[in-house]
Amino acid sequence: MAASGDATGQDRAIAIEAPVAIEINGLGYAVLMATPVDLNDLAYGFVLAERLIDTPGDVIEVAVHPVAAGTLLRVTLTPDRHHRVADRVRHRVSESSCGLCGIENLEQALRPLPALSVSSNATPAAILAAAATLRDHQPLARATGATHAAALCAADGTIRLLREDVGRHNGFDKLIGAMRRSGLDWDGGFALLSSRCSFELVEKAVLAQCPLLATLSAATTLAIDRAAQAGLPLRTLVRGDAMLAT
């Protein structure tokens, strides 16, 4: 519809948002609302963010099964990781009953983060350059206007790898999973996300040993606090020729 109020017919692609149920070592673990592409990458990134694995070798198999209601993602981890899965399933069941209640659940929600052992060589100019070209690497966003992007950027701002999803968390999990599966490292670069900077994204970055996290929108207070605790540099509100550094 135009500003004048006149309406014309037009065909347009629509982003897919569908349930993706994740089963780990035979246990129902989570249901995500996600874009059902790059699901193997999603699985690897998800189990890393959940602290269920230490290395990609802890994943034996990822099987993708289309079902009537969406997609079932069956992940098999090595037997020595099963106790982590069972422990997290127990906490997640208690969390789902009434939200994050009780000291045990609060401790699970804000578990200590490891300190970063890597650093980025990216300059502000490189971060702005990556942001300026981000949309060129987003075919789903250009077609639908409804997906987030997570990009692995070189220190000079070149976008090396990108994943998209309707969910910002899923997009970052897909990127990190793709990196782990292909053996890519940050190499002094950074992550650039099209979303706001939430504490969950900070935690994913730290657990993936990302040396710097940049986002197009602002950060929350908890994201800033969690990043400071782990020593993760943040660059937020990356727009035009400016950004915020925390």
Side-chain angles (χ1 to χ4, degrees):
M1 180 175 290
S4 63
D6 296 333
T8 58
Q10 183 179 5
D11 291 330
R12 183 178 175 86
I14 299 176
I16 299 174
E17 182 177 24
V20 176
I22 299 179
E23 179 185 284
I24 305 175
N25 283 15
L27 298 176
Y29 195 91
V31 177
L32 310 177
M33 300 306 296
T35 303
V37 296
D38 300 317
L39 291 181
N40 280 275
D41 296 336
L42 176 63
Y44 274 78
F46 181 83
V47 294
L48 175 66
E50 287 291 302
R51 310 191 197 197
L52 301 178
I53 67 170
D54 296 322
T55 69
D58 293 332
V59 180
I60 296 176
E61 181 184 29
V62 176
V64 180
H65 300 280
V67 294
T71 304
L72 174 61
L73 201 54
R74 286 197 169 110
V75 184
T76 304
L77 306 183
T78 55
D80 60 333
R81 296 290 174 258
H82 186 74
H83 70 283
R84 296 190 190 182
V85 180
D87 184 59
R88 283 296 291 154
V89 166
R90 177 172 62 85
H91 285 294
R92 292 176 72 92
V93 168
S94 63
E95 288 166 7
S96 66
S97 61
C98 58
L100 294 175
C101 56
I103 186 63
E104 185 178 43
N105 285 343
L106 288 173
E107 290 174 346
Q108 283 289 313
L110 297 175
R111 291 176 285 173
L113 292 170
L116 280 181
S117 59
V118 292
S119 59
S120 174
N121 300 317
T123 63
I127 296 170
L128 292 172
T133 62
L134 184 65
R135 194 164 180 82
D136 297 338
H137 298 264
Q138 295 179 252
L140 286 179
R142 291 198 307 273
T144 67
T147 57
H148 282 294
L152 162 63
C153 303
D156 66 358
T158 302
I159 294 179
R160 301 169 57 196
L161 181 69
L162 184 141
R163 289 291 183 267
E164 293 184 90
D165 198 277
V166 291
R168 62 187 190 277
H169 308 100
N170 302 333
F172 203 13
D173 279 341
K174 286 179 178 180
L175 175 69
I176 293 168
M179 291 174 63
R180 287 299 181 99
R181 293 180 66 209
S182 58
L184 292 175
D185 206 346
W186 299 100
D187 296 327
F190 59 98
L192 175 63
L193 310 183
S194 63
S195 65
R196 67 181 173 89
C197 183
S198 65
F199 85 93
E200 302 99 328
L201 296 176
V202 164
E203 294 187 353
K204 291 178 189 295
V206 173
L207 292 171
Q209 286 292 293
C210 172
L212 184 150
L213 177 60
T215 63
L216 299 191
S217 293
T220 65
T221 56
L222 187 54
I224 293 171
D225 290 344
R226 296 289 274 172
Q229 291 167 14
L232 172 67
L234 298 180
R235 302 293 184 265
T236 59
L237 276 177
V238 181
R239 304 282 180 86
D241 60 355
M243 70 186 75
L244 294 178
T246 56

